[in-house]
Every structure is written in C-alpha cells, then in structure tokens.
Amino acid sequence: MNVAMSAACLACVALALLPLGSILYTSVDRGSRVLSVTFFTENQPYPCNPGVTQGCQYGGIYNAIQGSLVLIGLAAAIALPIGILTGIYLSEFARTRVGSTIRFVADVMTGLPSIVVGIFVYSLFILAANLGWISFNLVLSALSGAIALSVIMIPIVARTSEEALRLVPTATREAALALGIPRYRVVLRIVLTTGRAAVLTGALLATARAMGETAPLIVTDFGSSFAFSGIDHPSASLPLSIYSWTISPYANWQADAWGATLVLVAIMLGISVVARLALRQRFGRTIA
Amino acid sequence: MVSGRRPAGVTADARVRRLLGGQPFFQAWRGVSLALLLLFLVSSLLAHGSGLAATHPWLGPLGAVALGSGVALLGLALLLLWARWGTLADPFFRSLTGSAGATVLGIFCIVIVVLAYTSWPSLTEFGWSFLWTQTWNPNPDLPPVRFGALPFVYGTLVTSAIAMALGIPVSLGIAVFLTELAPTWLRGGLSFVIELLAAVPSVVYGLWGLFVLVPIMRSSVEPGLFATVGNLPVLGELFTPGPFGILGLDKLTAGVILAIMIIPTISAISRDALAAVPTDQREAALSLGATQWETTRVSVLPYARSGILGAITLALGRAVGETIAVTFVIGNSNHILGSLLAPGQSIASWIANQFQESTLPLEKSALLELGLVLLLMSLVINVGARLLIRRAPGFEGGAA
C-alpha cells in the first residue's frame, strides 16, 4: 500500500510534467520553422495558404512586439506606483480594520476573471464617452487596453510588495526609528531598499502576467494588423495576435502563431527563471 | 542621512525667509500671499481667455474663477508642505500610501457599480428568468428577443467540475511527493518546474490544446471512453458522442486543459500547507509504527486540511474565470447537451466571442449581466477560499 501510494504520487508528478514538456516541445518544433531575422522585423502578413497561393509570405511579429511593449509599458506606469504604494501601506501602516479590508479586497481582486475586467473597462470608457468626457474612438484603443491590464496588475503588485516588505525584519525598522529617522524615511530609504529585490521581482512577475493576457484585450484594445500608430488607436499585442492567427483558417497565420508562441513562452519562462534566481539569493521561499 | 538637525518650526520659517531674501516673518508671508494672488489671477485669466470655453462650456467666467482658486489652493498646499516638511512629512506619506490603498478599494467598488449599472436594462427586462432561460436571440426579426444564461452557466460548471475531478488528485499527489517523498536536493528544482506550468500564458494553452490535445482526444481518448464507458446504463449518458460525432472539441477537453492550468495553483499552496505541518506530528505517527503513507494520511493531511481546501477553492475561482484556453477547445455550442463528449460554451468564452459582435444595446447589456453573474460567482468562490486559507493553522497563505 505504501509503495503503491508512493508510485501514484510519482505518477502524478509525471502526469503534470507531460503537458509542460509537450507544450515546450511543440512550440520549439513548430515555432522554429518560421523563426528568422525577418520574423522579428516584419509586420503581420496577408492571410493566405503557402503552397496554394503564390507569393505567400510568413511575415513577422514586429507590430505585435511593438504593441505589447507599449501596452505593458503604459500598464506598468499606471499599476506599479499605485501597487507598490499600496503594498507599503499594507505592510507599514495597516494594522486597522480598514487596512485588513484593503488587504482582503486586494486578495480577492487577484482572482477576478480577466474577461470581466475587460468588459468593465469597455463599459467605463463608453460611459465616459457618453458623458462627453472623452471621445468615442478611445474605447477601442491601446489606452483602454493598458488600463485593463493595469487593473489586473495592481492587486498582484500590491500583495507581492506587501509580502516582500513584511520579510524585512522588524528589528531593522526599530533600529532606524531609534536613531531618530522620521518614519517616512525609514520606509523609503531603509525598508524599501532592503526589500528591493523582492518588490521588483513581484513587479516583474505581474508585468509578465500582463504580457500574457489576451481576454481583456479582445474587448478593449481590439487588435490591429498594422504597426503601432498611437495610444488612441487599437494596437496589436503578442497574445492577441496568437489568438486571431490561431482561429483563422490560413496556414501562414497558423505557422506564425507557433513562432509567436515560441517567442512568448521563451520570454515568460525567462522571466520566471530570472525571478526565481533573484529571490533565491535573498530569501528561501518564493513570493509569488 | 538623518534629518532634523534643527527643530522643524525654526526650519520652516527660515526656508520661507531665505526664499524671500531674508525678510522678517510677517513680510515673508505677505510676499507669499501676493504670489498666490498672482497665481490665482494668471490661471483664471488663462483658463478664460484661452478659448477652451468654446469646447468646454463649463469654463465660463465662474468656472475660470473656480479653476483659478483651485490652482491657488493647490499652490498654497504645496508651499505649506514644503515649508513644514519636518512635521508634515510623515502624515503626508501616510495619506499618500493610504490613498493608494483607497484607490484599490475604489477600483473594486467601481467594477461592481459599473457592471450593475450597464447591465441594468437587461436586469429589468428579464429579471431572475435570465438565469434559467436557454435561448440567446438577438435578432429582432425573429421575436422574441430573449437572452438567457443557463447554457453558459451549465458549461462553466461542467468544465470546472471536470477540472476539479482531474486536477485535485494530481495536484495533491504532487504536493505530497514534494513534501514527503522527494529527496531534498530535488524539491526546489521540481517545485520550480511545476510552477512553470503557471507561467505559460492561457493563449498558449489554447493553441497547444487545439493543435495537440484535440487530435489526441479525437483519435484515441474519446473513442476509447465511448467504447468502454459509453454503453453503461447511467454513466454512459455522459460519454456518448455529441450531435456531430466525436470532434475532440467538447467540454471534456476543456476540462482537461483547465485541470492542467490549475495544477500549479493547488500544488503550490498545498505544498506550503503540508510544509507548515510541524514535524512533531509526523514523528508521533512514525514512532507508533505507521508507514510513510499512513503517517501522511493520518497526521499530516488532516492538519493541512484548511489550507488544502483553500487552495482547491482558489483554483476553482481560476477555473471558472478562464477564458481563452476554454474558447479554443470547448466547441462553442449554445445548447445544453448532457454528454461530456459534446460541445458546450462557458460564460467567459461566450462573452469573449460575442462581445465585439453584438450590436443590439440590449444584447450588450445582457452580456454585461452575464459578466456580472461570472463576477459574483468568482467573488463568492474567492472570498470562501481566502477565509479558508486564513483559518489554516500556522499558514500565512502567500500572494498566490
């Protein structure tokens, strides 16, 4: 019985590693067929079937990478300050009912379905446009996509930076306060500096998650076939391009989807490895 | 660098005095008032005269004065903050971070309010019957125009149930392996590799599911299931092919992909819960002559029960809200079909498919009401999960 259960647990581990290995293998196998220098410098190609249509190009993901960088740059610019400040508040000042309410709400918000966040931002922009505050063409734009991504990122950044700052020993804070350093300086100069690696790692992981999000972008930032043309226009994004290429019936788009998948998976796994290495030097357990 | 070399009150007026070239206290503040008055006049005149009043009608004379006084008050506040930084710094910082926290709270409230407000037309039109109507008809030429959530709620519940049934045993097996059975040198690396499953974006799961998993399900797994279980009296109903035959695009495949996606969540939190069990428990059981498995079953797992239940509930919340991976493989059929081998539709995948294509305002409102239903489902599940995790003894429950 004992041996049977141990074997069963080992089988569970193998069962979980099987899809991971399959995903990695298929991405590398099918993605490397379209990977080349031009894959990173060209925009989305015209849809066609190679071998059937003459002059069918495979194109590239340049506009997708451009759009992704703009979207997560904007989303991070909004979400990181708010999230880290909330994390500071939760770890330094929130010993009250209000503080634990905010912590609970942030926890719950990390589990919001991303499609609900997308339709919420869409509705918000429509309501604002109906009131005349903004123009209607901002509803489907990179700006609304970035705001949707930042709504997803803020609770994650808040909770991970709170956990990171909590790991700084209280003795450090007390020593600084005993020297007469004002509270805000203790937090900014000493606590934040000590927990810097973990806070940045949490921010990095939240940004990586935003980079892989598709659902909110489907309903806010519509996706585009062209190069980036300003945050008030729709823009492409790497997961969004994978989505629209996969559900299409065109073989060159589907091949490009695998190439883009390879790039995206490589980026996400790379960030995970970097985060793990950065955290291991400081603390024994992972934060996120 | 330690601040406060001089008392704060002396420093404040000294700064203002230095700014105005060494004037005594009274004259310094006279100069400041003059500066603020100038700020008020300049901003009011700029606001009024810039021609913005043409496009923003509220910026008439009164509006310009209000804007000007607002700017002046802001200037006064900033000057006060700078002058009295020594005493005001800490409260200012606390209110800065507190307002960031209030923003998070506010975002949450705004999400609920906006969704309720925009789904109000559909809420008032259909009432509670929205939850048990099966039709989704946006076509005004084929009356009645009705929308209902039942097929989507059914699809969501079925796929999540399959994900739970498949994912929970595997994840618990992994967690037990990582905490009890694995050699120490293997634990860190193996748990990292399991967590890599969480790093894969859901669109990649969808792509892989569509091109790799679906053919496997279509050619081997589902015919096998149909052949073996499909002829049984009651259980066979669940494993008969759908109206288009065995396509591989059905609720079972969606459930399998969801199970793969929730494995890292459950196993990571369960591993933490199992690791938090004190070694005394294990040693007590072992000293009574229990085997490894008996120890785990009797003294470790019950102790970590709250944490594991919390992990399971959290993963249920993720499974309910998962959109993209499900959209690719669930078959997109708005009918309630009893078999697991038949296509279906989940709430999230329907919203993702239909939202951009809906033109009727009532349909948009119905989709938003569907989103509200999904939001409430995941809120209830998440709140339950967090309460369970918090109650787990000695277990902090990280930001998972």
Side-chain angles (χ1 to χ4, degrees), chain B residues 11-41:
Chain B
T11 314
D13 304 318
R15 281 180 178 174
V16 177
R17 225 176 293 148
R18 239 183 301 133
L19 181 68
L20 297 172
Q23 303 281 319
F25 177 82
F26 174 63
Q27 283 168 315
W29 285 107
R30 225 169 33 178
V32 166
S33 318
L34 189 63
L36 285 174
L37 187 66
L38 273 175
L39 193 62
F40 164 74
L41 284 173

PDB file of all heavy atoms in Angstrom, chain B residues 11-41:
ATOM      1  N   THR B  11      13.085  75.715  11.134  1.00  0.00           N
ATOM      2  CA  THR B  11      13.497  75.449   9.753  1.00  0.00           C
ATOM      3  C   THR B  11      12.460  75.968   8.773  1.00  0.00           C
ATOM      4  O   THR B  11      12.804  76.501   7.727  1.00  0.00           O
ATOM      5  CB  THR B  11      13.663  73.941   9.548  1.00  0.00           C
ATOM      6  OG1 THR B  11      14.395  73.416  10.640  1.00  0.00           O
ATOM      7  CG2 THR B  11      14.404  73.655   8.256  1.00  0.00           C
ATOM      8  N   ALA B  12      11.140  75.810   9.109  1.00  0.00           N
ATOM      9  CA  ALA B  12      10.087  76.170   8.159  1.00  0.00           C
ATOM     10  C   ALA B  12      10.159  77.647   7.814  1.00  0.00           C
ATOM     11  O   ALA B  12      10.286  78.024   6.657  1.00  0.00           O
ATOM     12  CB  ALA B  12       8.733  75.832   8.763  1.00  0.00           C
ATOM     13  N   ASP B  13      10.092  78.487   8.853  1.00  0.00           N
ATOM     14  CA  ASP B  13      10.097  79.917   8.563  1.00  0.00           C
ATOM     15  C   ASP B  13      11.433  80.350   8.000  1.00  0.00           C
ATOM     16  O   ASP B  13      11.499  81.272   7.188  1.00  0.00           O
ATOM     17  CB  ASP B  13       9.791  80.697   9.840  1.00  0.00           C
ATOM     18  CG  ASP B  13       8.466  80.228  10.416  1.00  0.00           C
ATOM     19  OD1 ASP B  13       7.546  80.028   9.614  1.00  0.00           O
ATOM     20  OD2 ASP B  13       8.381  80.055  11.638  1.00  0.00           O
ATOM     21  N   ALA B  14      12.488  79.648   8.417  1.00  0.00           N
ATOM     22  CA  ALA B  14      13.804  80.003   7.884  1.00  0.00           C
ATOM     23  C   ALA B  14      13.833  79.778   6.380  1.00  0.00           C
ATOM     24  O   ALA B  14      14.423  80.549   5.622  1.00  0.00           O
ATOM     25  CB  ALA B  14      14.884  79.191   8.584  1.00  0.00           C
ATOM     26  N   ARG B  15      13.159  78.681   5.916  1.00  0.00           N
ATOM     27  CA  ARG B  15      13.145  78.410   4.476  1.00  0.00           C
ATOM     28  C   ARG B  15      12.412  79.507   3.727  1.00  0.00           C
ATOM     29  O   ARG B  15      12.869  79.992   2.702  1.00  0.00           O
ATOM     30  CB  ARG B  15      12.434  77.096   4.211  1.00  0.00           C
ATOM     31  CG  ARG B  15      13.299  75.886   4.474  1.00  0.00           C
ATOM     32  CD  ARG B  15      12.466  74.682   4.174  1.00  0.00           C
ATOM     33  NE  ARG B  15      13.226  73.462   4.356  1.00  0.00           N
ATOM     34  CZ  ARG B  15      12.703  72.256   4.277  1.00  0.00           C
ATOM     35  NH1 ARG B  15      11.407  72.138   4.027  1.00  0.00           N
ATOM     36  NH2 ARG B  15      13.428  71.196   4.436  1.00  0.00           N
ATOM     37  N   VAL B  16      11.225  79.849   4.242  1.00  0.00           N
ATOM     38  CA  VAL B  16      10.444  80.879   3.567  1.00  0.00           C
ATOM     39  C   VAL B  16      11.207  82.195   3.565  1.00  0.00           C
ATOM     40  O   VAL B  16      11.246  82.930   2.578  1.00  0.00           O
ATOM     41  CB  VAL B  16       9.069  81.031   4.253  1.00  0.00           C
ATOM     42  CG1 VAL B  16       8.280  82.141   3.599  1.00  0.00           C
ATOM     43  CG2 VAL B  16       8.314  79.728   4.184  1.00  0.00           C
ATOM     44  N   ARG B  17      11.847  82.470   4.701  1.00  0.00           N
ATOM     45  CA  ARG B  17      12.609  83.706   4.805  1.00  0.00           C
ATOM     46  C   ARG B  17      13.746  83.734   3.803  1.00  0.00           C
ATOM     47  O   ARG B  17      13.996  84.718   3.124  1.00  0.00           O
ATOM     48  CB  ARG B  17      13.160  83.844   6.232  1.00  0.00           C
ATOM     49  CG  ARG B  17      12.961  85.234   6.793  1.00  0.00           C
ATOM     50  CD  ARG B  17      13.427  85.294   8.215  1.00  0.00           C
ATOM     51  NE  ARG B  17      12.589  84.485   9.081  1.00  0.00           N
ATOM     52  CZ  ARG B  17      13.057  83.862  10.171  1.00  0.00           C
ATOM     53  NH1 ARG B  17      14.313  83.946  10.501  1.00  0.00           N
ATOM     54  NH2 ARG B  17      12.253  83.138  10.920  1.00  0.00           N
ATOM     55  N   ARG B  18      14.426  82.583   3.687  1.00  0.00           N
ATOM     56  CA  ARG B  18      15.540  82.514   2.736  1.00  0.00           C
ATOM     57  C   ARG B  18      15.038  82.722   1.325  1.00  0.00           C
ATOM     58  O   ARG B  18      15.693  83.339   0.502  1.00  0.00           O
ATOM     59  CB  ARG B  18      16.233  81.161   2.851  1.00  0.00           C
ATOM     60  CG  ARG B  18      17.702  81.278   3.212  1.00  0.00           C
ATOM     61  CD  ARG B  18      18.375  79.927   3.235  1.00  0.00           C
ATOM     62  NE  ARG B  18      17.774  79.003   4.186  1.00  0.00           N
ATOM     63  CZ  ARG B  18      17.471  77.735   3.887  1.00  0.00           C
ATOM     64  NH1 ARG B  18      17.690  77.270   2.692  1.00  0.00           N
ATOM     65  NH2 ARG B  18      16.932  76.952   4.789  1.00  0.00           N
ATOM     66  N   LEU B  19      13.822  82.198   1.046  1.00  0.00           N
ATOM     67  CA  LEU B  19      13.265  82.321  -0.292  1.00  0.00           C
ATOM     68  C   LEU B  19      13.053  83.776  -0.663  1.00  0.00           C
ATOM     69  O   LEU B  19      13.272  84.178  -1.795  1.00  0.00           O
ATOM     70  CB  LEU B  19      11.929  81.554  -0.345  1.00  0.00           C
ATOM     71  CG  LEU B  19      11.204  81.557  -1.687  1.00  0.00           C
ATOM     72  CD1 LEU B  19      11.997  80.759  -2.694  1.00  0.00           C
ATOM     73  CD2 LEU B  19       9.830  80.949  -1.519  1.00  0.00           C
ATOM     74  N   LEU B  20      12.613  84.569   0.316  1.00  0.00           N
ATOM     75  CA  LEU B  20      12.294  85.960   0.016  1.00  0.00           C
ATOM     76  C   LEU B  20      13.427  86.893   0.412  1.00  0.00           C
ATOM     77  O   LEU B  20      13.192  88.066   0.689  1.00  0.00           O
ATOM     78  CB  LEU B  20      10.994  86.339   0.737  1.00  0.00           C
ATOM     79  CG  LEU B  20       9.805  85.517   0.241  1.00  0.00           C
ATOM     80  CD1 LEU B  20       8.592  85.763   1.104  1.00  0.00           C
ATOM     81  CD2 LEU B  20       9.481  85.877  -1.192  1.00  0.00           C
ATOM     82  N   GLY B  21      14.618  86.374   0.460  1.00  0.00           N
ATOM     83  CA  GLY B  21      15.786  87.237   0.643  1.00  0.00           C
ATOM     84  C   GLY B  21      15.945  87.790   2.045  1.00  0.00           C
ATOM     85  O   GLY B  21      16.319  88.946   2.218  1.00  0.00           O
ATOM     86  N   GLY B  22      15.635  86.990   3.072  1.00  0.00           N
ATOM     87  CA  GLY B  22      15.956  87.407   4.438  1.00  0.00           C
ATOM     88  C   GLY B  22      14.972  88.378   5.056  1.00  0.00           C
ATOM     89  O   GLY B  22      15.307  89.103   5.980  1.00  0.00           O
ATOM     90  N   GLN B  23      13.744  88.419   4.531  1.00  0.00           N
ATOM     91  CA  GLN B  23      12.758  89.319   5.136  1.00  0.00           C
ATOM     92  C   GLN B  23      12.266  88.776   6.474  1.00  0.00           C
ATOM     93  O   GLN B  23      12.271  87.573   6.675  1.00  0.00           O
ATOM     94  CB  GLN B  23      11.534  89.429   4.208  1.00  0.00           C
ATOM     95  CG  GLN B  23      11.871  89.894   2.812  1.00  0.00           C
ATOM     96  CD  GLN B  23      12.056  91.370   2.789  1.00  0.00           C
ATOM     97  OE1 GLN B  23      11.309  92.097   3.420  1.00  0.00           O
ATOM     98  NE2 GLN B  23      13.074  91.827   2.075  1.00  0.00           N
ATOM     99  N   PRO B  24      11.852  89.634   7.363  1.00  0.00           N
ATOM    100  CA  PRO B  24      11.284  89.127   8.623  1.00  0.00           C
ATOM    101  C   PRO B  24       9.988  88.361   8.381  1.00  0.00           C
ATOM    102  O   PRO B  24       9.410  88.417   7.323  1.00  0.00           O
ATOM    103  CB  PRO B  24      11.013  90.379   9.460  1.00  0.00           C
ATOM    104  CG  PRO B  24      11.520  91.521   8.701  1.00  0.00           C
ATOM    105  CD  PRO B  24      12.014  91.071   7.375  1.00  0.00           C
ATOM    106  N   PHE B  25       9.545  87.648   9.372  1.00  0.00           N
ATOM    107  CA  PHE B  25       8.468  86.668   9.278  1.00  0.00           C
ATOM    108  C   PHE B  25       7.213  87.274   8.658  1.00  0.00           C
ATOM    109  O   PHE B  25       6.654  86.769   7.693  1.00  0.00           O
ATOM    110  CB  PHE B  25       8.168  86.127  10.677  1.00  0.00           C
ATOM    111  CG  PHE B  25       7.009  85.150  10.694  1.00  0.00           C
ATOM    112  CD1 PHE B  25       7.211  83.832  10.348  1.00  0.00           C
ATOM    113  CD2 PHE B  25       5.743  85.561  11.060  1.00  0.00           C
ATOM    114  CE1 PHE B  25       6.163  82.939  10.363  1.00  0.00           C
ATOM    115  CE2 PHE B  25       4.702  84.666  11.083  1.00  0.00           C
ATOM    116  CZ  PHE B  25       4.903  83.357  10.729  1.00  0.00           C
ATOM    117  N   PHE B  26       6.747  88.390   9.171  1.00  0.00           N
ATOM    118  CA  PHE B  26       5.479  88.974   8.745  1.00  0.00           C
ATOM    119  C   PHE B  26       5.531  89.344   7.265  1.00  0.00           C
ATOM    120  O   PHE B  26       4.630  89.057   6.488  1.00  0.00           O
ATOM    121  CB  PHE B  26       5.185  90.196   9.610  1.00  0.00           C
ATOM    122  CG  PHE B  26       3.963  90.947   9.163  1.00  0.00           C
ATOM    123  CD1 PHE B  26       2.701  90.361   9.193  1.00  0.00           C
ATOM    124  CD2 PHE B  26       4.055  92.248   8.691  1.00  0.00           C
ATOM    125  CE1 PHE B  26       1.588  91.044   8.783  1.00  0.00           C
ATOM    126  CE2 PHE B  26       2.926  92.936   8.297  1.00  0.00           C
ATOM    127  CZ  PHE B  26       1.694  92.341   8.338  1.00  0.00           C
ATOM    128  N   GLN B  27       6.637  89.985   6.861  1.00  0.00           N
ATOM    129  CA  GLN B  27       6.738  90.388   5.470  1.00  0.00           C
ATOM    130  C   GLN B  27       6.881  89.180   4.550  1.00  0.00           C
ATOM    131  O   GLN B  27       6.466  89.205   3.413  1.00  0.00           O
ATOM    132  CB  GLN B  27       7.930  91.324   5.287  1.00  0.00           C
ATOM    133  CG  GLN B  27       7.633  92.712   5.783  1.00  0.00           C
ATOM    134  CD  GLN B  27       8.892  93.538   5.857  1.00  0.00           C
ATOM    135  OE1 GLN B  27       9.913  93.070   6.336  1.00  0.00           O
ATOM    136  NE2 GLN B  27       8.816  94.759   5.388  1.00  0.00           N
ATOM    137  N   ALA B  28       7.483  88.092   5.075  1.00  0.00           N
ATOM    138  CA  ALA B  28       7.626  86.896   4.244  1.00  0.00           C
ATOM    139  C   ALA B  28       6.254  86.375   3.847  1.00  0.00           C
ATOM    140  O   ALA B  28       5.984  86.078   2.686  1.00  0.00           O
ATOM    141  CB  ALA B  28       8.415  85.831   4.991  1.00  0.00           C
ATOM    142  N   TRP B  29       5.357  86.294   4.817  1.00  0.00           N
ATOM    143  CA  TRP B  29       4.049  85.753   4.494  1.00  0.00           C
ATOM    144  C   TRP B  29       3.231  86.710   3.641  1.00  0.00           C
ATOM    145  O   TRP B  29       2.391  86.299   2.852  1.00  0.00           O
ATOM    146  CB  TRP B  29       3.293  85.391   5.782  1.00  0.00           C
ATOM    147  CG  TRP B  29       3.876  84.107   6.346  1.00  0.00           C
ATOM    148  CD1 TRP B  29       4.660  83.992   7.435  1.00  0.00           C
ATOM    149  CD2 TRP B  29       3.757  82.802   5.791  1.00  0.00           C
ATOM    150  NE1 TRP B  29       5.028  82.694   7.612  1.00  0.00           N
ATOM    151  CE2 TRP B  29       4.492  81.928   6.614  1.00  0.00           C
ATOM    152  CE3 TRP B  29       3.096  82.262   4.676  1.00  0.00           C
ATOM    153  CZ2 TRP B  29       4.571  80.575   6.365  1.00  0.00           C
ATOM    154  CZ3 TRP B  29       3.193  80.901   4.448  1.00  0.00           C
ATOM    155  CH2 TRP B  29       3.931  80.073   5.294  1.00  0.00           C
ATOM    156  N   ARG B  30       3.534  88.014   3.740  1.00  0.00           N
ATOM    157  CA  ARG B  30       2.856  88.953   2.860  1.00  0.00           C
ATOM    158  C   ARG B  30       3.261  88.672   1.407  1.00  0.00           C
ATOM    159  O   ARG B  30       2.443  88.671   0.495  1.00  0.00           O
ATOM    160  CB  ARG B  30       3.238  90.393   3.246  1.00  0.00           C
ATOM    161  CG  ARG B  30       2.048  91.284   3.279  1.00  0.00           C
ATOM    162  CD  ARG B  30       2.299  92.605   3.887  1.00  0.00           C
ATOM    163  NE  ARG B  30       3.624  93.140   3.677  1.00  0.00           N
ATOM    164  CZ  ARG B  30       3.975  94.339   4.145  1.00  0.00           C
ATOM    165  NH1 ARG B  30       3.122  95.049   4.829  1.00  0.00           N
ATOM    166  NH2 ARG B  30       5.185  94.807   3.946  1.00  0.00           N
ATOM    167  N   GLY B  31       4.527  88.404   1.226  1.00  0.00           N
ATOM    168  CA  GLY B  31       5.006  88.105  -0.120  1.00  0.00           C
ATOM    169  C   GLY B  31       4.387  86.828  -0.664  1.00  0.00           C
ATOM    170  O   GLY B  31       4.034  86.730  -1.845  1.00  0.00           O
ATOM    171  N   VAL B  32       4.244  85.848   0.216  1.00  0.00           N
ATOM    172  CA  VAL B  32       3.647  84.581  -0.228  1.00  0.00           C
ATOM    173  C   VAL B  32       2.207  84.801  -0.669  1.00  0.00           C
ATOM    174  O   VAL B  32       1.758  84.274  -1.690  1.00  0.00           O
ATOM    175  CB  VAL B  32       3.733  83.543   0.909  1.00  0.00           C
ATOM    176  CG1 VAL B  32       2.834  82.365   0.617  1.00  0.00           C
ATOM    177  CG2 VAL B  32       5.171  83.087   1.081  1.00  0.00           C
ATOM    178  N   SER B  33       1.456  85.609   0.111  1.00  0.00           N
ATOM    179  CA  SER B  33       0.057  85.861  -0.262  1.00  0.00           C
ATOM    180  C   SER B  33      -0.019  86.562  -1.609  1.00  0.00           C
ATOM    181  O   SER B  33      -0.887  86.241  -2.435  1.00  0.00           O
ATOM    182  CB  SER B  33      -0.626  86.734   0.787  1.00  0.00           C
ATOM    183  OG  SER B  33      -0.274  86.326   2.065  1.00  0.00           O
ATOM    184  N   LEU B  34       0.901  87.486  -1.830  1.00  0.00           N
ATOM    185  CA  LEU B  34       0.914  88.186  -3.121  1.00  0.00           C
ATOM    186  C   LEU B  34       1.164  87.203  -4.253  1.00  0.00           C
ATOM    187  O   LEU B  34       0.513  87.252  -5.304  1.00  0.00           O
ATOM    188  CB  LEU B  34       2.008  89.269  -3.087  1.00  0.00           C
ATOM    189  CG  LEU B  34       2.014  90.225  -4.272  1.00  0.00           C
ATOM    190  CD1 LEU B  34       0.723  91.023  -4.309  1.00  0.00           C
ATOM    191  CD2 LEU B  34       3.204  91.176  -4.182  1.00  0.00           C
ATOM    192  N   ALA B  35       2.104  86.277  -4.021  1.00  0.00           N
ATOM    193  CA  ALA B  35       2.419  85.288  -5.056  1.00  0.00           C
ATOM    194  C   ALA B  35       1.215  84.411  -5.358  1.00  0.00           C
ATOM    195  O   ALA B  35       0.917  84.106  -6.513  1.00  0.00           O
ATOM    196  CB  ALA B  35       3.609  84.431  -4.605  1.00  0.00           C
ATOM    197  N   LEU B  36       0.486  84.026  -4.316  1.00  0.00           N
ATOM    198  CA  LEU B  36      -0.682  83.175  -4.526  1.00  0.00           C
ATOM    199  C   LEU B  36      -1.778  83.927  -5.273  1.00  0.00           C
ATOM    200  O   LEU B  36      -2.466  83.366  -6.125  1.00  0.00           O
ATOM    201  CB  LEU B  36      -1.218  82.665  -3.183  1.00  0.00           C
ATOM    202  CG  LEU B  36      -0.366  81.559  -2.549  1.00  0.00           C
ATOM    203  CD1 LEU B  36      -0.894  81.233  -1.173  1.00  0.00           C
ATOM    204  CD2 LEU B  36      -0.396  80.321  -3.415  1.00  0.00           C
ATOM    205  N   LEU B  37      -1.939  85.219  -4.951  1.00  0.00           N
ATOM    206  CA  LEU B  37      -2.949  86.019  -5.648  1.00  0.00           C
ATOM    207  C   LEU B  37      -2.618  86.114  -7.132  1.00  0.00           C
ATOM    208  O   LEU B  37      -3.484  85.983  -7.997  1.00  0.00           O
ATOM    209  CB  LEU B  37      -3.003  87.420  -5.016  1.00  0.00           C
ATOM    210  CG  LEU B  37      -4.133  88.315  -5.520  1.00  0.00           C
ATOM    211  CD1 LEU B  37      -5.468  87.727  -5.095  1.00  0.00           C
ATOM    212  CD2 LEU B  37      -3.989  89.716  -4.963  1.00  0.00           C
ATOM    213  N   LEU B  38      -1.341  86.312  -7.416  1.00  0.00           N
ATOM    214  CA  LEU B  38      -0.908  86.363  -8.811  1.00  0.00           C
ATOM    215  C   LEU B  38      -1.202  85.044  -9.514  1.00  0.00           C
ATOM    216  O   LEU B  38      -1.685  85.008 -10.647  1.00  0.00           O
ATOM    217  CB  LEU B  38       0.591  86.669  -8.882  1.00  0.00           C
ATOM    218  CG  LEU B  38       0.966  88.152  -8.878  1.00  0.00           C
ATOM    219  CD1 LEU B  38       2.473  88.305  -8.819  1.00  0.00           C
ATOM    220  CD2 LEU B  38       0.427  88.834 -10.123  1.00  0.00           C
ATOM    221  N   LEU B  39      -0.915  83.953  -8.819  1.00  0.00           N
ATOM    222  CA  LEU B  39      -1.161  82.613  -9.379  1.00  0.00           C
ATOM    223  C   LEU B  39      -2.641  82.454  -9.714  1.00  0.00           C
ATOM    224  O   LEU B  39      -3.027  81.964 -10.783  1.00  0.00           O
ATOM    225  CB  LEU B  39      -0.710  81.557  -8.365  1.00  0.00           C
ATOM    226  CG  LEU B  39      -0.600  80.107  -8.854  1.00  0.00           C
ATOM    227  CD1 LEU B  39       0.426  80.009  -9.955  1.00  0.00           C
ATOM    228  CD2 LEU B  39      -0.235  79.198  -7.705  1.00  0.00           C
ATOM    229  N   PHE B  40      -3.494  82.907  -8.801  1.00  0.00           N
ATOM    230  CA  PHE B  40      -4.931  82.804  -8.995  1.00  0.00           C
ATOM    231  C   PHE B  40      -5.361  83.616 -10.214  1.00  0.00           C
ATOM    232  O   PHE B  40      -6.074  83.125 -11.098  1.00  0.00           O
ATOM    233  CB  PHE B  40      -5.643  83.293  -7.732  1.00  0.00           C
ATOM    234  CG  PHE B  40      -7.097  83.596  -7.921  1.00  0.00           C
ATOM    235  CD1 PHE B  40      -8.013  82.573  -8.060  1.00  0.00           C
ATOM    236  CD2 PHE B  40      -7.555  84.906  -7.983  1.00  0.00           C
ATOM    237  CE1 PHE B  40      -9.352  82.845  -8.234  1.00  0.00           C
ATOM    238  CE2 PHE B  40      -8.902  85.177  -8.155  1.00  0.00           C
ATOM    239  CZ  PHE B  40      -9.800  84.152  -8.291  1.00  0.00           C
ATOM    240  N   LEU B  41      -4.892  84.860 -10.302  1.00  0.00           N
ATOM    241  CA  LEU B  41      -5.311  85.715 -11.402  1.00  0.00           C
ATOM    242  C   LEU B  41      -4.834  85.169 -12.744  1.00  0.00           C
ATOM    243  O   LEU B  41      -5.583  85.100 -13.715  1.00  0.00           O
ATOM    244  CB  LEU B  41      -4.759  87.129 -11.185  1.00  0.00           C
ATOM    245  CG  LEU B  41      -5.503  87.946 -10.132  1.00  0.00           C
ATOM    246  CD1 LEU B  41      -4.773  89.253  -9.880  1.00  0.00           C
ATOM    247  CD2 LEU B  41      -6.922  88.232 -10.583  1.00  0.00           C
TER     248      LEU B  41
END
